[in-house]
């Protein structure tokens, strides 16, 4: 038998007697789990080839070797010591946490080539759980231990082949063990997609951070509130991020399908950085699937003239007047952004480093810019920043002195200066005002686009360092209208 002792001798306990704190992780026996039992994805891939190919390009696979994560975990360790990394690695590198590496002398998940770095969130990382502990997050799960088959830990390829045949001949036990309680529920995802910071880490007090699960509970898709926004069906996290897909796999259902293990979301940076071009296209398609809509309201005028025929004011005021602008006007335009299909707040996840904003452009008939908001400075959407006066959807955390925490160094975070998101099933109304200059060539074309970039430019330059390059900017929704330009109102009287 393999001993359940930490990988590092003299394992430190600066956060109390619990070996995994400040992570909320538990194990079935309250002790460590050997690295060999946890880092098994290559072995799983020998039978589950299609699933493994999907997982290889996923954010779960790259949870530990994500270059931005590597920068942040190194900063945390430099500042607070390797034991503080337990807070992050329960979700990003469970192999390092559960095997007892996160103590002086050990190897954290940000070390290139280490088992935890290579594995990320592997097969056992989810399928080895017994259950979730609660929905408070920060790796709030209980990890089990798979039963030992004949030759389970042998390095012999022949012995491993024999073990695989044993499992294939009698797969029921393996299937039961690899199907944790609640794995098909949204609450299962809450174990890592909910996050808070407590005094033991920030040395200040309790702060709520990412919480996509509570946002889903409050959404029309959970079926647990009365605000259904026209929806008659519910949807779980898995329905959007792990949709059924056809695959040749031992775990396929009767229809020959499995739950997709791409875990497609909004991380275009990882797909680009690791050269997963097909997954990058898949991610862009996912983001452009019409879950968010943007609508420009034309500038209807109460003083507009449609015809020369005299009509009582009471009648004219109830009809829709034409939309046009006059030279010299100050025009007020309303734009509505609606979150109709995202199962949680938009944006979700790490909204302090993600970048979502509205680009609003007014162009005249000659192609000349009349007004803009939210453009990226520089040509052809290159590497520069977004107009700082744009309408952003984001959070801006601060530390105890009120300074912006922009490096995602969350152990400094004590509060928040700004948070702007759109809840699922809700809308946001924006207003833009601009002048119509005398040089304008009619008509005006007004375009509003919802843009998204993973990550914001300032953080990306710092976190990615030498590996920084132009990050994809994706248009998630777009609307445009054409507005006539007139020089003056028709004031001719009718005798």
């Amino acid at each position: 038998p393999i001993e359940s002792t930490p990988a590092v001798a003299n394992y430190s306990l600066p956060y109390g007697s619990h070996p995994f704190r400040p992570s909320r992780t538990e194990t079935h026996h309250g002790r460590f789990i050997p690295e060999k039992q946890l880092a098994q994805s290559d072995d799983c891939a020998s039978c589950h080839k299609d699933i493994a190919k999907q997982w290889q390009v996923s954010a779960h696979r790259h949870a530990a070797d994500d270059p931005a994560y590597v920068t942040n975990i190194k900063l945390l360790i430099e500042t607070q010591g390797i034991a503080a990394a337990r807070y992050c690695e329960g979700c990003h590198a469970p192999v390092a946490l559960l095997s007892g590496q996160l103590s002086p002398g050990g190897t954290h998940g940000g070390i290139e080539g280490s088992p935890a770095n290579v594995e990320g969130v592997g097969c056992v990382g989810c399928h080895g759980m017994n259950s979730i502990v609660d929905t408070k997050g920060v790796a709030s799960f209980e990890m089990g231990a798979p039963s030992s088959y004949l030759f389970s830990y042998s390095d012999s390829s022949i012995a491993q082949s024999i073990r695989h045949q044993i499992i294939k001949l009698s797969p029921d036990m393996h299937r039961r063990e690899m199907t944790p309680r609640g794995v098909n529920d949204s609450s299962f995802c809450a174990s890592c997609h909910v996050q808070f910071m407590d005094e033991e880490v920030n040395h200040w007090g309790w702060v709520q951070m990412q919480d996509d699960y509570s946002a889903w509970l409050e959404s029309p898709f959970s079926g647990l509130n009365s605000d259904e926004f026209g929806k008659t069906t519910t949807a779980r996290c898995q329905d959007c991020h792990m949709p059924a897909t056809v695959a040749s796999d031992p775990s396929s259902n009767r229809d020959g399908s499995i739950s997709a293990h791409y875990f497609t979301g909004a991380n275009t940076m990882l797909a680009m950085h690791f050269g997963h071009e097909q997954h990058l296209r898949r991610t862009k398609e996912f983001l452009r699937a019409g879950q968010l809509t943007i609508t420009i309201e034309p500038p209807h005028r109460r003083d507009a003239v449609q015809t020369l025929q005299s009509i009582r004011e009471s009648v004219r005021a109830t009809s829709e007047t034409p939309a046009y602008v006059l030279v010299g006007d100050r025009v007020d335009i309303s734009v509505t952004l609606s979150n109709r299909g995202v199962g949680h707040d938009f944006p979700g996840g790490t909204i302090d480093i993600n970048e979502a904003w509205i680009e609003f452009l007014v162009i005249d008939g000659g192609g000349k810019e009349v007004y803009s908001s939210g453009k990226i400075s520089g040509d052809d959407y290159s590497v520069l920043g977004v107009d700082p006066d744009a309408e952003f959807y984001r959070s801006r955390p601060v530390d105890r002195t009120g300074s912006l925490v922009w490096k995602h160094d969350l152990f400094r975070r004590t509060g928040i200066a700004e948070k702007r998101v759109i809840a699922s099933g809700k809308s946001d109304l924006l207003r833009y005002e601009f002048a119509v200059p005398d040089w304008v060539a009619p008509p005006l074309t007004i375009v509003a686009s919802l843009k998204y970039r993973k990550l914001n430019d300032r953080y990306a330059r710092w976190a990615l360092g030498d590996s920084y390059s132009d990050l994809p900017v994706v248009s998630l929704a777009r609307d445009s209208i054409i507005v006539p330009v007139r020089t003056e109102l028709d004031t001719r009287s009718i005798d």
Side-chain angles (χ1 to χ4, degrees):
I2 299 177
E3 297 295 330
S4 300
T5 55
V8 177
N10 300 315
Y11 188 83
S12 65
L13 296 170
Y15 298 98
S17 60
H18 197 289
F20 304 126
R21 295 293 181 264
S23 162
R24 295 181 54 80
T25 307
E26 305 285 349
T27 57
H28 68 293
H29 49 32
R31 300 189 300 277
F32 300 93
I33 297 176
E35 196 173 78
K36 203 164 189 176
Q37 289 186 10
L38 298 165
Q40 295 193 39
S41 294
D42 284 347
D43 184 58
C44 299
S46 61
C47 291
H48 298 279
K49 293 182 174 61
D50 282 3
I51 288 178
K53 287 179 182 177
Q54 295 175 4
W55 168 79
Q56 282 287 350
V57 302
S58 73
H60 280 195
R61 157 63 186 88
H62 293 299
D65 66 358
D66 173 348
Y69 174 75
V70 171
T71 298
N72 274 116
I73 198 66
K74 289 180 177 179
L75 176 63
L76 175 61
I77 291 169
E78 289 169 4
T79 306
Q80 297 202 19
I82 191 171
R86 298 170 198 169
Y87 174 84
C88 304
E89 303 243 298
C91 290
H92 281 268
V95 172
L97 174 73
L98 292 165
S99 64
Q101 286 281 0
L102 302 180
S103 189
T107 303
H108 61 85
I111 301 299
E112 184 178 359
S114 67
N117 180 266
V118 172
E119 189 80 2
V121 179
C123 302
V124 174
C126 289
H127 289 278
M129 294 183 192
N130 283 339
S131 61
I132 64 166
V133 175
D134 54 44
T135 57
K136 296 179 181 179
V138 193
S140 55
F141 56 82
E142 180 187 288
M143 184 61 70
S147 299
S148 293
Y149 291 87
L150 183 65
F151 305 132
S152 282
Y153 305 108
S154 171
D155 293 327
S156 166
S157 59
I158 296 175
Q160 289 297 322
S161 178
I162 294 171
R163 181 174 65 86
H164 292 159
Q165 290 302 316
I166 293 172
I167 293 174
K168 290 176 181 178
L169 289 171
S170 183
D172 289 347
M173 183 175 75
H174 182 68
R175 185 180 295 113
R176 286 194 301 270
E177 287 184 337
M178 295 294 106
T179 308
R181 290 192 299 274
V183 69
N184 294 316
D185 299 333
S186 290
S187 59
F188 193 83
C189 306
S191 59
C192 280
H193 292 273
V194 177
Q195 185 183 15
F196 67 89
M197 186 72 70
D198 214 341
E199 182 179 2
E200 60 185 356
V201 179
N202 67 9
H203 306 298
W204 178 264
W206 191 91
V207 181
Q208 181 70 62
M209 293 185 285
Q210 177 181 347
D211 190 355
D212 293 329
Y213 178 67
S214 291
W216 172 80
L217 286 174
E218 295 171 2
S219 79
F221 298 97
S222 69
L224 300 174
N225 63 63
S226 59
D227 188 9
E228 295 186 355
F229 203 67
K231 294 285 183 182
T232 58
T233 58
T234 60
R236 308 160 302 159
C237 303
Q238 293 88 337
D239 294 324
C240 291
H241 298 284
M242 299 181 68
T245 184
V246 175
S248 176
D249 193 88
S251 64
S252 298
N253 62 21
R254 293 178 181 177
D255 298 327
S257 64
I258 60 169
S259 294
H261 281 61
Y262 298 112
F263 305 104
T264 309
N267 202 322
T268 52
M269 183 279 290
L270 278 181
M272 189 197 76
H273 176 82
F274 288 103
H276 303 316
E277 295 183 6
Q278 187 174 353
H279 188 54
L280 178 58
R281 289 194 294 272
R282 183 182 299 109
T283 303
K284 289 180 177 179
E285 290 170 4
F286 178 82
L287 291 169
R288 293 168 174 158
Q291 313 299 352
L292 296 132
T293 59
I294 192 166
T295 306
I296 303 171
E297 180 65 24
H300 296 292
R301 311 176 60 92
R302 294 194 62 80
D303 59 353
V305 174
Q306 283 179 281
T307 71
L308 298 180
Q309 183 175 353
S310 178
I311 301 176
R312 291 196 313 274
E313 173 65 21
S314 61
V315 175
R316 186 177 69 80
T318 60
S319 63
E320 184 175 282
T321 57
Y324 63 85
V325 297
L326 298 175
V327 171
D329 267 356
R330 288 205 66 81
V331 183
D332 188 2
I333 297 291
S334 297
V335 176
T336 303
L337 179 60
S338 298
N339 179 358
R340 301 184 62 87
V342 180
H344 48 72
D345 294 345
F346 173 83
T350 53
I351 61 176
D352 60 313
I353 54 175
N354 297 346
E355 194 166 49
W357 74 99
I358 302 295
E359 183 186 74
F360 183 84
L361 302 175
V362 182
I363 309 296
D364 79 353
K368 198 170 183 179
E369 182 180 293
V370 175
Y371 174 83
S372 71
S373 172
K375 288 177 65 177
I376 293 182
S377 56
D379 298 328
D380 71 4
Y381 281 23
S382 59
V383 298
L384 300 179
V386 180
D387 170 11
D389 295 324
E391 299 281 359
F392 287 96
Y393 294 89
R394 63 186 178 188
S395 72
R396 303 185 79 194
V398 294
D399 64 15
R400 66 184 66 193
T401 69
S403 300
L404 187 65
V405 178
W406 64 270
K407 292 182 178 179
H408 202 56
D409 42 345
L410 300 176
F411 55 90
R412 290 178 47 226
R413 176 173 171 169
T414 60
I416 188 168
E418 172 194 355
K419 181 179 179 181
R420 187 182 189 185
V421 297
I422 306 178
S424 180
K426 304 296 182 182
S427 298
D428 192 28
L429 180 65
L430 306 100
R431 304 188 78 90
Y432 293 90
E433 186 176 332
F434 61 91
V436 182
D438 57 8
W439 49 258
V440 74
L444 296 181
T445 299
I446 302 176
V447 183
S449 303
L450 173 60
K451 302 288 187 179
Y452 173 82
R453 178 163 60 178
K454 178 81 176 187
L455 310 149
N456 74 65
D457 188 67
R458 184 185 186 190
Y459 172 77
R461 287 175 179 274
W462 172 78
L464 302 182
D466 292 341
S467 65
Y468 174 87
S469 60
D470 298 15
L471 297 178
V473 176
V474 185
S475 292
L476 309 189
R478 184 180 184 275
D479 190 27
S480 65
I481 60 172
I482 295 176
V483 181
V485 179
R486 299 182 183 179
T487 56
E488 62 180 5
L489 283 172
D490 190 338
T491 58
R492 287 175 290 174
S493 63
I494 300 174
D495 295 329

